[in-house]
Amino acid sequence: MTVRIERLVTSGQFSLDGGTWDVENNVWIVGDEREVIVIDAAHDAEAIARAVDDRRLAAIVCTHAHNDHIDAAPALAELTGATIWLHADDMPLWRLTHPDREPDRHLVDGQVIETAGADLTVLHTPGHAPGAVCLYDPGLGSCSPETPSSRAAPARPGARTPTSRRSSTPSGTGSSPSRRRPRSSPGTASPRPSGGGAPSGGVDQARALTPAPPEGG
């Protein structure tokens, strides 16, 4: 089956440093007719679940923990049974939005998330947020943004728009990752961590979609 990238736009609010803005966010659904992952569960868990439809949702991957990228993640996980993934460096931001619900697993730089024939390599790209990540798979020949199609959101320097060039080198990096990387099957989650530490397990080795770095919240 052909792996495809689908986009759903949801509306809500982005809050940071005492300011609040109305925004629209891109929710990315990557997979095929049977299994998908959701990248950034923003604002509306029921709308995302409808877009997933009867496919198995293997994982909810958070590119960072600004509230407009994670606010619907726990509700979507509750609806679907999917595992929530977030880089450990964004746990302080996560807890501002979800103080009573931890992510299920922590993303690690170089880790590969496998879904529906796609191998998504996690690239830790701190700056927009301490635990910001991109996902990269040269086989998909696509670069898609980790951030909202911002409307009334504060502009941020260095914003980039989606590209669709085929390359073995992810945008914004000097070279394609070549070291051996942990490999994860997103549906095999361990219990949620009780503290802030990154859970272990679910790893082995590598290949490599990219939501590219920030544009909005």
Side-chain angles (χ1 to χ4, degrees):
M1 295 185 185
T2 303
V3 179
R4 62 179 183 264
I5 304 170
E6 304 165 27
R7 184 181 71 146
L8 172 70
V9 177
T10 58
S11 299
Q13 291 188 323
F14 166 52
S15 298
L16 186 68
D17 296 336
T20 297
W21 300 268
D22 293 327
V23 293
E24 290 182 334
N25 285 64
N26 293 322
V27 179
W28 300 99
I29 303 172
V30 181
D32 59 18
E33 292 83 0
R34 295 180 181 176
E35 179 182 84
V36 297
I37 67 167
V38 162
I39 302 171
D40 290 346
H43 309 307
D44 192 335
E46 291 187 359
I48 301 169
R50 286 194 299 271
V52 170
D53 199 21
D54 60 356
R55 295 173 290 183
R56 174 177 175 266
L57 181 56
I60 301 163
V61 179
C62 307
T63 60
H64 62 288
H66 286 155
N67 71 287
D68 58 326
H69 287 253
I70 63 168
D71 50 3
L76 183 61
E78 185 70 22
L79 284 172
T80 62
T83 304
I84 300 174
W85 293 76
L86 176 76
H87 194 282
D89 288 356
D90 260 18
M91 284 304 302
L93 280 172
W94 171 275
R95 292 184 178 121
L96 293 176
T97 303
H98 300 300
D100 301 320
R101 206 302 192 182
E102 300 275 283
D104 300 296
R105 302 293 293 272
H106 287 161
L107 298 166
V108 178
D109 184 65
Q111 166 188 358
V112 176
I113 298 175
E114 299 175 316
T115 183
D119 292 339
L120 311 179
T121 296
V122 176
L123 304 176
H124 184 207
T125 53
H128 185 67
V133 303
C134 293
L135 301 177
Y136 176 59
D137 185 338
L140 294 179
S142 178
C143 230
S144 51
E146 59 161 63
T147 53
S149 50
S150 54
R151 184 170 71 181
R156 300 195 183 280
R160 287 194 292 210
T161 56
T163 65
S164 57
R165 59 191 178 91
R166 186 173 294 275
S167 171
S168 61
T169 303
S171 176
T173 65
S175 61
S176 178
S178 58
R179 66 187 181 283
R180 293 171 65 87
R181 309 174 188 92
R183 181 178 290 275
S184 304
S185 177
T188 54
S190 62
R192 287 196 298 273
S194 56
S200 61
V203 294
D204 55 66
Q205 107 150 348
R207 232 181 22 236
L209 171 319
T210 276
E215 182 180 289

